Amino acid sequence: MKTFENIKTLDDLSMILKIPKKKLTYMLYILKPDNAYTSFKILKKSGGERIINTPSNDLKDIQRSIVEILWRQQKILWEEHKIKSNISHAFVKKKSILTNARVHKNKRYVFNIDLEDFFDSFHFGRVRGFFEKNKDFLFPQKIATTLAQLTCYNGCLPQGAPTSPIITNLICNILDMRLLKVAKEFKLDYTRYADDLTFSTNDEKFVENLEGFKTKAKKVINSSGFKINEKKTRLQHKNSRQVVTGLVVNKKVNVNREFYKETRSMANTLYKKGEFEINGKNATINQLEGRFAFINQIDRFNNGIYKNDKAPLKLCDLNSKEKQYQMFLFYKYFFGNSKPCIITEGKTDIVYIQSALKNLYEYYPNLVKKKADGTYQFKITFLKRSKRLRYFLDLQLDGADTMIKLHNFYCNTNNDSFPNYPEKFKELGTIPKNPVIFVLDNELENNNKPLRKLIKNVRLDRDSSKYDSFKKKCHTNIKSNLYLSTHQLVKGLQECEIEDLFDDNTLNTVIRDKTFERDSKKYSDEKNYGKAAFADYISKNYRDIDFKEFKPLLDNINEIITTYSLA
């Protein structure tokens, strides 16, 4: 024992959890854990409802600390007992229903056992008894009682508490080892995903030995303090559909066709009506994204073509399921976006604009709101570049090439790689909900800079009147709900970066004896700090910084949004 051997008192527990003793005693004896939960219901896939009990933030902080040291202890136990962590796949890092199911793919027989009232089986006395009597813990009764009090709700482990998964897995270690022994006797592979036990084999004689296996398995399960849900126990043959934790495993791990068809149908309904349902109830776009992400996870695992997150050489290389996901992502972020979307050249630009809005919130009620608690609620979103968007839409993690790539989705050119999704959605009878606004540095006269390259790509300079208007107003509509905006030229400069909007006092700020330098050719690590550190300074000191030169840019964004909403 390395982690818990010195825990004898509440002071010891407080120290190892890194939670003040005062906070622990308040939660235990004044507030009491049972009064620190909120309950709600969610629908089960199989029908019916599941009650979720979530702890308050203070109790959750304590439970997360417990999880951290229990997980550390779990890994120590695996090493000491030479246990391979390939049996339990629920609530374990880098494990999932996918890793659980793939153990059983392409087998002659798959046998499933479901445990009845799984979480309710872990009652207060059982949790306390485990920590007190298990040879790997052997806590004093007072400490075992304290841990049970901090992790149980209404007398058992609650679904919704961060501690419940790790404790169930620790207690189930003995069950898993015993069932593994029985499984080996009958030439079976065994995994467990929470209350779902799966055994599989290619042994032709398994059916003959099935009753003997069931008898031994049931004895182990009952002696370990669990009951079998006989209604969900089933044997699946290779000539019928074999399902493990919701995934088909006959030839390869896959979602069933009905799930994929339902997901595609939900997406089509969303594109046509702007809303859709799951199980007869209004659903959110994030729920639908979860379904697409799940399908894609399985697809990537099976194909093994794109192991990394870089976009394929051509987006047309995406398979049919990936193209469905691509279409959904475009809709979510750029067509059905619930708020106006701002896309900047880099991450620091977002920090500057958000800081300016917080400083000037009284002038821009359409863009930001200061809440009663002093925090700010933005009424616009800023696109967060991600590996997922890079893979499916070829939108890079940084830089202005993203704007050109995104514009290509609005055109009828190169449709194999950049299908014209706005046109497709229009054919379905829907229109964009909010504008998407490109914000670039004002470097219009430099052919090598992003703004000039984008203008050439969108052919804005071919319409002299529109181009002249853009140069004067610094914003224009490109196509559909796609807009372009830049800031004004300042300080007599011929071209400006957004940092030029700050006054000289701000730009000359000294941080730890270093000065700000944005030119990489002049930058010295010993003398200078870069854009990331400067943006951090701006974010922390936004109340005291002069943002007056940001007003024309914010006015542009505000005008675009206001005009679009009135159209």
Side-chain angles (χ1 to χ4, degrees), residues 259-282:
F259 184 86
Y260 175 66
K261 288 181 178 178
E262 287 174 357
T263 302
R264 190 171 59 186
S265 176
M266 290 173 189
N268 286 333
T269 302
L270 173 67
Y271 304 151
K272 291 178 182 178
K273 301 180 179 180
E275 59 184 13
F276 68 100
E277 295 180 346
I278 295 179
N279 296 327
K281 293 189 176 182
N282 287 337

Side-chain angles (χ1 to χ4, degrees), residues 9 30 50 61 86 94 100 129 153-154 205 220 245 302 378 388 404 454 511 539 542:
T9 66
I30 307 299
R50 176 178 285 112
D61 287 342
N86 57 357
K94 298 183 180 180
N100 181 68
Y153 172 63
N154 284 344
K205 297 181 180 180
V220 168
T245 46
N302 285 327
F378 292 105
R388 183 168 294 174
I404 293 176
L454 178 62
I511 302 176
S539 177
Y542 69 89

Side-chain angles (χ1 to χ4, degrees), residues 219-327:
K219 184 177 179 180
V220 168
I221 290 168
N222 290 344
S223 66
S224 299
F226 300 98
K227 292 181 180 179
I228 294 176
N229 185 343
E230 301 290 352
K231 294 179 180 178
K232 294 186 177 180
T233 299
R234 65 194 187 280
L235 176 66
Q236 303 176 88
H237 299 256
K238 68 175 183 179
N239 56 358
S240 62
R241 188 167 70 175
Q242 296 170 318
V243 178
V244 176
T245 46
L247 296 172
V248 179
V249 295
N250 289 71
K251 299 275 185 179
K252 59 183 180 179
V253 180
N254 215 337
V255 296
N256 63 59
R257 292 180 181 178
E258 289 78 7
F259 184 86
Y260 175 66
K261 288 181 178 178
E262 287 174 357
T263 302
R264 190 171 59 186
S265 176
M266 290 173 189
N268 286 333
T269 302
L270 173 67
Y271 304 151
K272 291 178 182 178
K273 301 180 179 180
E275 59 184 13
F276 68 100
E277 295 180 346
I278 295 179
N279 296 327
K281 293 189 176 182
N282 287 337
T284 67
I285 199 166
N286 287 337
Q287 287 176 287
L288 186 53
E289 181 169 16
R291 292 173 71 102
F292 272 115
F294 175 63
I295 293 168
N296 181 248
Q297 180 189 13
I298 306 300
D299 200 42
R300 285 166 70 96
F301 167 74
N302 285 327
N303 294 330
I305 299 173
Y306 306 122
K307 289 295 184 182
N308 55 45
D309 292 302
K310 293 182 180 178
L313 294 177
K314 293 183 179 180
L315 289 180
C316 57
D317 291 335
L318 297 174
N319 64 38
S320 59
K321 290 180 181 178
E322 289 176 322
K323 288 179 179 178
Q324 288 288 331
Y325 194 8
Q326 181 194 60
M327 186 173 182

Side-chain angles (χ1 to χ4, degrees), residues 48 355 481:
S355 299
N481 66 326

Side-chain angles (χ1 to χ4, degrees), residues 139-151:
F139 287 139
Q141 187 181 72
K142 186 174 181 180
I143 296 300
T145 300
T146 297
L147 286 171
Q149 288 174 323
L150 291 170
T151 57

